[in-house]
């Protein structure tokens, strides 16, 4: 971080002019360091939704929203998605470098040896209703890990943070698969160490004690790519939640559970589920012939309908993950002989019309990663209600890496935003009989 200059802020209320340092990152916009603003002027800045606020410095993920570029530790997502597997990407995000062959096998071994969860976990899970949403279950299960692994709870101990990171990355697939098996009433499947991370997840999801799951390489590769594309995305809502939560010194499992809860929302991780539900609704309305009518509803100021899987706070260009996902969608549907999948045709029809429509062009609304990921997951056999849990599984590495980065930063402080108070000023409590 260098300091290329200063910003001078003048006030028309008599407050003395202040000079604020400008900080330069390695790429991306400069930031104005306002940490001394309040002590020097008695004023805060106001930025609900963090539209112009960098909440931290980070070395993990860089997004250029105008170009549609996404880099993990400097590497373009397009190269990582094609040349690496998910665990290599996890190593990169967590430790800063892609592993060499020896590091790769050591890391794979460490993760693989932690995939089982405490046997007691299944009894905890059995307390949930069978029809509970998987994200409700996941929020509970991830938070509950802190009750099972008390030896890795100290967030200020780098070794304990590392073992928690490995435990979380390793156990998330087991927990997601358990949440799924519980809803369908099938026995939980234990992890199998001879399988890859993603192959093992598919085994735990789709095998039963009566029948092995025959691992299909195209589908494993597709799901592995979904994991890679969702692994991190800089300071999005759930990652910021994890950072804020962990900034109090709470344990990593509790902080990641907070991230899972945040991800659940339809404006964030819940969008892939909402997108597939939307495609189903258009299909029920009459399919391709009704796209125009649906787009009119989306554009209507008086309606709350949004084109799910479109738009992004940062990308004002095509989300690079959506391009890769569309490619994967083709591969998976071809491999399964579903080239004429009506939902995929509908999605492509919607995309074409939206990309040519002034409403979307003017607002720079393009497909995001969720637009095609639901179709891929559905084709693989993952139920719609589990989509956000898959996102949580993949994002766990990003969350723990961001948490570790924050705690290791010598400048780290508990997160404590301020406010512009617009409520009642001080007043006195009246006796009950005198209140209006
Ligand atoms: N369909 C229709 N109009 C939209 C959409 C959409 N999907 N997204 C934004 N707009 C309009 C919005 O109505 C507003 O119009 P106007 O200026 O006339 O009021 C304008 O575009 C700006 O939207 P905004 O809500 O102020 O933008 P934001 O940056 O606060 O929201 C977003 C970003 C992702 C929440 C939003 O685009 C959205 O709700 N998209 C649909 C949900 C979705 O696909 N979310 C997944 C995001 S990618 C996965 C992830 O990283 O979590």
């Amino acid at each position: 971080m260098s300091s290329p200059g200063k910003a001078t802020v003048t006030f028309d209320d008599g407050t003395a002019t202040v000079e604020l340092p400008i900080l330069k990152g390695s790429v991306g916009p400069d930031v104005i360091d306002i940490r001394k603003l309040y002590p020097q002027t008695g004023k805060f800045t106001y930025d609900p939704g963090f539209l112009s606020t960098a909440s931290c410095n980070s070395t993990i993920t860089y997004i250029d929203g105008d170009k549609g570029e996404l880099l993990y530790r400097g590497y373009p997502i397009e190269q990582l998605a094609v040349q690496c597997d998910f665990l290599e990407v996890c190593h990169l995000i967590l430790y800063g470098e892609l592993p060499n062959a020896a590091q790769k096998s050591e890391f794979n071994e460490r993760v693989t040896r932690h995939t089982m969860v405490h046997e007691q976990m299944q009894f905890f899970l059995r307390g949930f209703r069978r029809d509970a949403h998987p994200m409700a279950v996941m929020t509970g299960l991830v938070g509950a890990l802190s009750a099972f692994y008390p030896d890795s709870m100290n967030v200020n101990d780098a070794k304990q943070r590392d073992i928690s990171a490995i435990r979380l990355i390793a156990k998330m697939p087991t927990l997601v698969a358990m949440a799924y098996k519980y809803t369908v009433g099938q026995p939980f499947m234990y992890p199998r160490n001879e399988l890859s991370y993603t192959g093992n997840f598919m085994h735990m999801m789709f095998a039963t004690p009566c029948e092995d799951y025959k691992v299909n390489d195209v589908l494993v590769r597709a799901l592995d790519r979904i994991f890679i594309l969702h692994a991190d995305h800089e300071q999005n809502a759930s990652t910021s939640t994890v950072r804020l939560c962990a900034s109090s010194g709470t344990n990593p499992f509790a902080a990641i559970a907070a991230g899972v809860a945040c991800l659940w929302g339809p404006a964030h991780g819940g969008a892939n589920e909402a997108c597939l539900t939307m495609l189903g609704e258009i299909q029920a309305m009459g399919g391709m012939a009704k796209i125009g009518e649906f787009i009119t509803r989306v554009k209507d100021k008086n309606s709350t309908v949004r084109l799910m899987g479109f738009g992004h706070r940062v990308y004002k260009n095509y989300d690079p993950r959506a391009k890769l996902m569309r490619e994967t969608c083709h591969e998976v549907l071809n491999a399964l002989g579903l080239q004429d999948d009506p939902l995929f045709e509908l999605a492509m029809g919607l995309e074409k019309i939206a990309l040519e429509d002034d409403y979307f062009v003017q607002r720079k609304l393009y497909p995001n990663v969720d637009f095609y990921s639901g179709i891929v997951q559905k084709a693989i056999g993952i139920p719609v209600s589990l989509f956000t849990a898959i996102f949580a599984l993949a994002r766990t590495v990003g969350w723990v890496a961001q948490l570790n980065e924050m705690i290791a930063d010598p400048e780290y402080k508990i997160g404590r935003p301020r406010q512009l108070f617009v409520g009642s000023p001080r007043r006195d409590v009246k006796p009950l009989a005198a209140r209006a």
Side-chain angles (χ1 to χ4, degrees):
M1 230 180 339
S2 63
S3 183
K6 287 189 166 60
T8 306
V9 187
T10 57
F11 301 84
D12 60 7
D13 64 356
T15 308
T17 296
V18 287
E19 286 197 329
L20 300 169
I22 294 179
L23 306 179
K24 200 169 194 54
S26 42
V27 267
D30 296 344
V31 303
I32 303 167
D33 180 350
I34 57 165
R35 282 175 291 183
K36 297 268 165 61
L37 186 70
Y38 180 63
Q40 287 181 8
T41 67
K43 296 182 199 318
F44 300 130
T45 54
Y46 182 62
D47 186 17
F50 299 102
L51 296 175
S52 297
T53 297
S55 60
C56 61
N57 69 70
S58 181
T59 59
I60 302 172
T61 293
Y62 175 73
I63 303 172
D64 185 325
D66 294 324
K67 272 206 253 169
E69 180 178 67
L70 170 61
L71 312 175
Y72 294 160
R73 303 277 190 189
Y75 295 109
I77 192 69
E78 292 81 1
Q79 292 179 24
L80 293 168
V82 171
Q83 295 177 46
C84 301
D85 66 29
F86 179 62
L87 281 189
E88 286 174 79
V89 172
C90 286
H91 188 285
L92 172 70
I93 290 178
L94 208 50
Y95 302 120
E97 294 299 338
L98 282 167
N100 60 27
Q103 289 163 335
K104 178 176 160 125
S105 78
E106 194 209 326
F107 185 69
N108 284 7
E109 175 75 7
R110 276 186 86 201
V111 172
T112 303
R113 297 280 159 197
H114 281 92
T115 47
M116 269 202 304
V117 293
H118 195 292
E119 194 65 4
Q120 202 65 14
M121 200 74 179
Q122 59 165 297
F123 300 109
F124 175 69
L125 173 59
R126 285 179 206 280
F128 287 98
R129 284 171 53 137
R130 294 260 178 195
D131 61 355
H133 193 283
M135 285 301 277
V137 174
M138 285 306 294
T139 311
L141 290 184
V142 176
L145 288 174
S146 48
F148 289 94
Y149 302 101
D151 60 335
S152 59
M153 302 256 281
N154 182 356
V155 80
N156 295 310
D157 178 325
K159 268 204 173 135
Q160 291 195 31
R161 283 202 307 274
D162 189 49
I163 181 68
S164 292
I166 299 294
R167 280 180 168 152
L168 277 156
I169 293 165
K171 294 181 198 308
M172 280 300 269
T174 314
L175 296 180
V176 173
M178 284 171 79
Y180 169 64
K181 290 292 196 191
Y182 186 64
T183 36
V184 290
Q186 290 181 4
F188 304 127
M189 297 301 294
Y190 288 105
R192 297 285 298 263
N193 286 357
E194 77 275 18
L195 296 173
S196 69
Y197 183 86
T198 305
N200 177 47
F201 173 62
M202 293 175 86
H203 150 78
M204 291 188 288
M205 284 284 296
F206 302 124
T208 69
C210 323
E211 201 168 320
D212 279 346
Y213 171 74
K214 289 181 193 57
V215 174
N216 175 329
D217 287 341
V218 177
L219 303 191
V220 171
R221 187 67 206 145
L223 194 56
D224 203 71
R225 180 176 278 192
I226 291 183
F227 292 167
I228 292 173
L229 300 185
H230 288 85
D232 194 50
H233 215 224
E234 53 118 309
Q235 308 312 319
N236 56 83
S238 58
T239 301
S240 299
T241 300
V242 169
R243 278 188 179 253
L244 193 59
C245 186
S247 78
S248 72
T250 192
N251 69 79
F253 304 110
I256 302 306
V260 174
C262 177
L263 188 75
W264 191 0
H268 191 8
N272 49 19
E273 179 178 342
C275 182
L276 212 75
T277 306
M278 173 194 78
L279 291 174
E281 280 166 11
I282 304 173
Q283 189 70 3
M285 280 164 62
M288 295 289 266
K290 294 289 177 181
I291 289 181
E293 194 181 307
F294 182 77
I295 294 276
T296 307
R297 272 166 56 189
V298 166
K299 294 191 308 189
D300 180 359
K301 278 272 164 215
N302 299 316
S303 110
T304 52
V305 181
R306 285 201 162 193
L307 181 51
M308 300 312 285
F310 254 71
H312 199 274
R313 171 62 61 78
V314 182
Y315 292 117
K316 299 304 166 196
N317 201 329
Y318 212 102
D319 178 342
R321 302 169 301 170
K323 274 190 200 143
L324 290 155
M325 206 43 16
R326 192 171 53 175
E327 202 179 284
T328 300
C329 207
H330 271 294
E331 281 165 22
V332 167
L333 296 178
N334 281 341
L336 295 174
L338 298 171
Q339 295 89 333
D340 302 326
D341 179 72
L343 288 189
F344 186 50
E345 281 182 359
L346 197 56
M348 289 201 303
L350 261 176
E351 178 188 331
K352 188 169 181 308
I353 290 178
L355 290 179
E356 287 164 0
D357 190 300
D358 259 6
Y359 175 95
F360 295 91
V361 173
Q362 276 168 14
R363 289 169 181 75
K364 299 189 175 166
L365 300 170
Y366 293 88
N368 60 52
V369 65
D370 292 322
F371 197 63
Y372 289 105
S373 73
I375 299 172
V376 177
Q377 293 188 60
K378 185 165 173 280
I380 290 174
I382 295 167
V384 177
S385 63
L386 209 70
F387 288 0
T388 316
I390 300 280
F391 190 161
L393 181 174
R395 183 55 59 85
T396 296
V397 64
W399 288 331
V400 290
Q402 299 268 353
L403 183 161
N404 288 351
E405 181 179 68
M406 177 188 73
I407 302 286
D409 183 345
E411 289 193 346
Y412 129 76
K413 285 188 182 322
I414 184 168
R416 176 54 169 94
R418 302 304 294 257
Q419 64 173 8
L420 173 66
F421 182 69
V422 294
S424 169
R426 188 197 153 102
R427 51 185 171 160
D428 293 322
V429 176
K430 289 184 183 151
L432 191 58
R435 292 179 211 160

